[in-house]
Amino acid sequence: MSKPLKDIVYKVSLVSTKGSMDVPIASIAFDSRAVREGAVFVAIPGTQVDGHAFIDNALDKGASAIVCEHLPEKLREGITYVQVINAARSLGLMAANFYGNPSEKITLVAVTGTNGKTTTVTLLHQLFSELGYATGLLSTVENRIKDQVLAASHTTPDVVAINELLVKMLENGCTHCFMEASSHAIVQERTAGLKFAGALFTNISHDHLDYHGTFDSYIKAKKKLFDELPKDGFALINADDKRGRVMLQNCRARPFTFGLKYPADFKAKILANSLHGLELDFEGKQVWFRLIGEFNAYNLLGVLGVALLLDEEEEEVLRQLSKLKGAIGRFDQVVYGGITAIIDYAHTPDALENVLKTIQKLRTGGETLVTLVGCGGNRDRSKRPLMAKIACNLSDRVIFTSDNPRDEDPMEIIREMEAGINPVDQKKTLSLADRRSAIKTACSLAKKGDILLIAGKGHETYQEIQGVKHPFDDKKVVKEFLEMLHKE
């Protein structure tokens, strides 16, 4: 497949062009290592490396055209150069044009927010599959084309990969696709050029300040998705989140709300909440769900809102939702020897607090709650003492350990966590850098009836240490030690 460059740069804000715009383009690349003969190379200034430094590499590998923000001092003969205002945004528009704008041919819905993205898109994918649609999924845990599972390495793939995946979904008969839209991806223009049928905002709290710098910048990153929605799309926000309304400012899409506390277009009330599930009242309709906790009541409400805005029938939607389990590694349970271990991806202060408060509400009294928690390396350091303090405030015993230390010293991360705890709480804490040993200790501390929370990694099946991803699955390790230490 090839297209003339002039068709690929349609709608791109051009500064200047040098050379023929009729040159045929066989592929698009923004990484010089991926350049093939006849490709157009888009040089994107990055936070760590600048694509402009790799223009010669791309040309040596056979690129026919270069799209960049700054033209090289020396221009090669027979090569077309296109200077643009924003290379990252241009890449999105170009990818959409190159692949025939697949997002315009499928019902594409984005979900953004600090917590709940993965569960929400997973539930939407499961729901619409049960409703009889061929459905695609782009999430942190996995990408799916109907029942086919594809590996996921980022919350949001790069925009070239997204368009490639959308084309494959269409080729496989998919009519709907539900995708997570992370703040990083939105700022990096990985959603540029995509046409969304709508977007859902779950909530916003402390996260990724290492990247965005300030909380205000983080909010603006989420809001950018809503600012770019089309007039015929929908914007669905959590009415109970005090920053939810910000997403609707200057948004052209049709505004809708969901919530448990304040007036909303889609509203419910919690009737029952236990370790076995949730019972919700939707304006007179009582429904039992297999998911657990108030945060999942919000996830279910958001999913219901999206389905109804896509013209699905409410009674059938609720019936199918009541059967679903949610995402891997989100309040996932292992029960053995009378001990309940909960594995959850909670890796932000807000998410950890939500999970622990949910467990508190589900406790019957007498049981001990042991929480194991760590913080990722090379990420927002300011949340480390906050997470430690929350864990201590809401748990009987706390074990600090490694999450994905990456390039940092695990004990230094733990020391920064420990700085957040009150002296009176020190006696209830242990610090073990080795995560496997820490989980074994947590399992050994538990007795029949107790609850373990293994927080931070959830669905991840690896631990990243010094640039190497080592196999590590919290759920498998917990199960192994519970069976070994508490033989029934």
Side-chain angles (χ1 to χ4, degrees), residues 27-37 39-44 49-63 65-66 91:
S27 62
I28 300 176
F30 59 94
D31 182 335
S32 62
R33 294 168 295 186
V35 170
R36 302 194 302 270
E37 193 74 31
V40 55
F41 174 68
V42 184
I44 299 174
V49 293
D50 186 344
H52 290 76
F54 299 92
I55 288 176
D56 284 337
N57 295 35
L59 291 173
D60 291 343
K61 294 191 73 174
I66 301 294
L91 176 66

Side-chain angles (χ1 to χ4, degrees), residues 271-420:
L271 299 177
N273 184 9
S274 74
L275 274 172
H276 305 293
L278 275 168
E279 186 178 8
L280 301 180
D281 181 292
F282 298 92
E283 297 180 353
K285 297 185 181 76
Q286 285 89 39
V287 186
W288 180 266
F289 298 94
R290 299 170 73 173
L291 278 74
I292 296 162
E294 182 182 81
F295 61 94
N296 270 322
Y298 281 105
N299 293 333
L300 288 162
L301 261 177
V303 170
L304 173 67
V306 169
L308 298 186
L309 290 170
L310 294 178
D311 298 322
E312 298 304 315
E313 197 273 316
E314 182 178 19
E315 193 166 316
E316 181 61 13
V317 168
L318 291 172
R319 190 175 75 83
Q320 296 296 345
L321 273 178
S322 69
K323 301 189 296 185
L324 303 182
K325 292 182 179 179
I328 300 168
R330 269 63 176 179
F331 219 90
D332 218 346
Q333 294 184 53
V334 173
V335 180
Y336 191 86
I339 298 166
T340 300
I342 296 166
I343 295 89
D344 196 273
Y345 188 53
H347 63 290
T348 66
D350 184 59
L352 182 63
E353 185 173 17
N354 283 343
V355 172
L356 285 168
K357 283 186 173 178
T358 296
I359 294 171
Q360 295 286 11
K361 290 176 183 177
L362 303 176
R363 294 175 74 174
T364 56
E367 67 275 87
T368 296
L369 170 58
V370 181
T371 295
L372 179 144
V373 64
C375 290
N378 305 115
R379 296 295 187 269
D380 184 1
R381 294 172 64 177
S382 64
K383 69 183 181 184
R384 294 172 183 174
L386 296 176
M387 292 185 68
K389 184 177 181 181
I390 288 165
C392 286
N393 287 347
L394 297 170
S395 311
D396 300 307
R397 298 293 302 271
V398 178
I399 300 174
F400 299 129
T401 189
S402 298
D403 189 286
N404 290 316
R406 299 184 175 90
D407 298 325
E408 288 194 63
D409 176 359
M411 283 310 301
E412 182 58 34
I413 296 173
I414 291 172
R415 279 191 285 271
E416 290 184 16
M417 294 180 71
E418 291 172 335

Side-chain angles (χ1 to χ4, degrees), residues 75-135:
L75 305 184
R76 292 198 194 183
E77 196 71 32
I79 301 298
T80 300
Y81 294 86
V82 178
Q83 186 180 7
V84 298
I85 295 173
N86 183 327
R89 184 163 186 81
S90 299
L91 176 66
L93 297 169
M94 291 168 64
N97 290 331
F98 183 78
Y99 287 101
N101 293 290
S103 64
E104 296 180 4
K105 301 165 188 173
I106 196 168
T107 299
L108 180 64
V109 175
V111 177
T112 195
T114 305
N115 302 311
K117 295 188 298 294
T118 302
T119 296
T120 300
V121 294
T122 301
L123 287 172
L124 282 165
H125 178 267
Q126 292 175 354
L127 170 64
F128 276 75
S129 297
E130 291 299 322
L131 291 172
Y133 296 98
T135 309

Side-chain angles (χ1 to χ4, degrees), residues 4-24:
L5 182 60
K6 65 182 179 184
D7 292 347
I8 296 171
V9 296
Y10 175 62
K11 291 185 180 179
V12 171
S13 297
L14 307 181
V15 176
S16 66
T17 63
K18 308 284 183 183
S20 172
M21 296 299 288
D22 289 314
V23 60

